[in-house]
Amino acid sequence: MRHERGFAPATELTRAPLVDGFGRRVTYLRLSVTDRCDLRCVYCMSEQMTFLPRREVLTLEELYRLACVFIRGGVRKIRLTGGEPLVRRNVMQLFELLAPHLDNGDLDEVTLTTNGTLLSRHAGALFAAGVRRVNVSLDTLDADRYAQITRRGRLQPVLDGIDAALSAGLRVKINTVAMSGAFEDEVDDLIHFAHGRGMDLTLIEEMPLGNTGHDRRGSFLSLQHLRRSLEKRWTLVPVPDRSGGPARYVQVAETNGRLGFITPLSCDFCASCNRVRVSCTGELFTCLGKEGSIGLRDALRGSGDLSAIDQLIRGALSCKPKGHAFDLSRPAESGIARPMSVLGG
């Protein structure tokens, strides 16, 4: 069912493109709908989490109104993230609200990044709301190691969710955080698993995002190093394909599948950055690797005039940095306080 539940879009705004101080157009919004998650992955969250009071989190109506401002400014792709977006109560309403913007051509794509635990429940409804592609975070095919990484998760519901998504007609990309150790012995199995089902696989370098009780300096694996290792066993052919995110892709000749690399620490991906991120509390982050943000929630709740929010966004973009400054040598407790799920590709 596609309707706007009485929420008025931002038709009073101009359609001037959102451009940062370096002339880069912003066409991709990563919008967090919740800070909550049903897993506690070691690289993403502390085992004992204190989540935000619900009053601090934007309502679905507020999230939609905010999305409309970005759409009027030329954003063509919106990815819903978390936490885990599918744990948000009634989250499918937000997909339904965005669906008419797919129908009328204002948006090219609405996607989400999910851990997959609830995907089997929502896969059909996502397709009905116009979603055609999802990213699923999956770091191992070993059930014991999956439980260790996630601190509480079970692998089988994720595998079931992937199967349900494919059956519903969704394209699935697997996102995998690369870590030294056991992962290096499993990466070939992940390639076979993903490509055997027609799915892309994207490998992501671990990043210093928040204190999770996990020492990243001991687990960090350079994807440049891993790629050299893979090239001894696979034929990797560079391709120009881009998915709108920071991944760089190769074609694996033996499987005819795509393999992506997201390398924020060992390689700069900022030159063509077209992305901004908004947290579930309305904090706008123009750069993943910088601490600064600007709050949009008070303006969103204080007035029905969305032009004020538009001006806040444009002011923040004028200060968007040229690039990030990730530093793995910093102590774990000083990492930037955002979860890995804000990246995702």
Side-chain angles (χ1 to χ4, degrees):
M1 179 170 55
R2 299 189 177 192
H3 60 282
E4 297 185 2
R5 295 181 180 268
F7 302 164
T11 53
E12 70 275 15
L13 300 175
T14 66
R15 286 188 177 270
L18 296 170
V19 181
D20 70 13
F22 298 93
R24 297 171 297 193
R25 290 187 62 166
V26 172
T27 59
Y28 180 4
L29 169 65
R30 297 182 62 91
L31 182 61
S32 172
V33 300
T34 182
D35 65 323
R36 297 171 187 267
C37 187
D38 52 347
L39 302 179
R40 299 291 185 274
C41 295
V42 295
Y43 50 73
C44 185
M45 287 187 173
S46 299
E47 189 165 8
Q48 302 298 324
M49 286 294 297
T50 301
F51 293 110
L52 294 167
R54 295 190 186 278
R55 64 180 178 276
E56 295 184 16
V57 176
L58 296 181
T59 66
L60 294 176
E61 176 184 356
E62 290 167 341
L63 288 165
Y64 173 66
R65 293 176 67 227
L66 193 55
C68 285
V69 179
F70 282 96
I71 292 169
R72 295 291 293 188
V75 160
R76 303 292 305 175
K77 172 180 175 179
I78 295 178
R79 179 177 297 279
L80 300 187
T81 69
E84 167 49 46
L86 296 182
V87 304
R88 173 75 189 255
R89 184 179 180 184
N90 297 325
V91 70
M92 288 308 305
Q93 292 180 6
L94 183 54
F95 286 99
E96 293 170 3
L97 291 169
L98 292 169
H101 297 279
L102 293 167
D103 292 339
N104 67 17
D106 284 343
L107 284 174
D108 295 327
E109 188 175 36
V110 175
T111 67
L112 83 154
T113 294
T114 173
N115 62 30
T117 61
L118 301 174
L119 187 54
S120 59
R121 184 186 307 175
H122 296 287
L126 288 167
F127 188 88
V131 176
R132 295 294 178 263
R133 193 165 63 92
V134 299
N135 288 2
V136 178
S137 300
L138 179 64
D139 301 316
T140 179
L141 297 172
D142 181 272
D144 291 336
R145 186 163 177 263
Y146 183 85
Q148 179 184 27
I149 292 172
T150 62
R151 295 191 176 113
R152 61 177 58 188
R154 294 189 304 116
L155 177 62
Q156 192 58 50
V158 180
L159 300 181
D160 292 343
I162 291 170
D163 288 341
L166 293 172
S167 296
L170 296 169
R171 286 183 292 134
V172 177
K173 179 163 73 73
I174 302 298
N175 285 342
T176 299
V177 176
M179 292 184 283
S180 63
F183 166 79
E184 295 173 85
D185 296 324
E186 293 185 62
V187 63
D188 290 349
D189 291 337
L190 284 161
I191 291 173
H192 282 297
F193 171 78
H195 293 177
R197 289 161 176 78
M199 303 183 296
D200 292 347
L201 172 67
T202 294
L203 306 177
I204 306 173
E205 277 182 344
E206 195 175 359
M207 295 180 295
L209 297 176
N211 178 18
T212 69
H214 164 67
D215 186 1
R216 300 180 181 89
R217 291 169 293 184
S219 63
F220 174 73
L221 175 63
S222 164
L223 289 189
Q224 290 182 336
H225 169 80
L226 179 62
R227 179 166 176 168
R228 288 193 294 269
S229 175
L230 290 171
E231 287 173 336
K232 297 176 182 178
R233 307 185 297 279
W234 303 93
T235 305
L236 306 183
V237 182
V239 293
D241 303 358
R242 296 291 298 275
S243 65
R248 302 296 186 268
Y249 288 96
V250 298
Q251 194 87 9
V252 180
E254 290 80 359
T255 65
N256 200 34
R258 289 201 316 174
L259 179 64
F261 298 87
I262 296 180
T263 55
L265 288 174
S266 63
C267 182
D268 180 22
F269 57 32
C270 300
S272 59
C273 181
N274 65 337
R275 299 169 295 284
V276 293
R277 295 154 181 88
V278 176
S279 76
C280 62
T281 60
E283 290 293 312
L284 170 62
F285 296 92
T286 61
C287 178
L288 181 65
K290 300 288 186 179
E291 291 285 5
S293 66
I294 183 169
L296 305 176
R297 185 181 61 197
D298 289 347
L300 193 62
R301 291 179 174 177
S303 170
D305 179 12
L306 296 184
S307 62
I309 299 168
D310 182 72
Q311 291 304 309
L312 285 173
I313 293 169
R314 294 178 189 277
L317 284 176
S318 69
C319 301
K320 179 178 169 71
K322 188 174 184 179
H324 66 250
F326 289 123
D327 183 1
L328 196 69
S329 67
R330 297 168 65 186
E333 62 272 12
S334 67
I336 297 170
R338 292 192 284 284
M340 279 287 294
S341 60
V342 299
L343 186 65

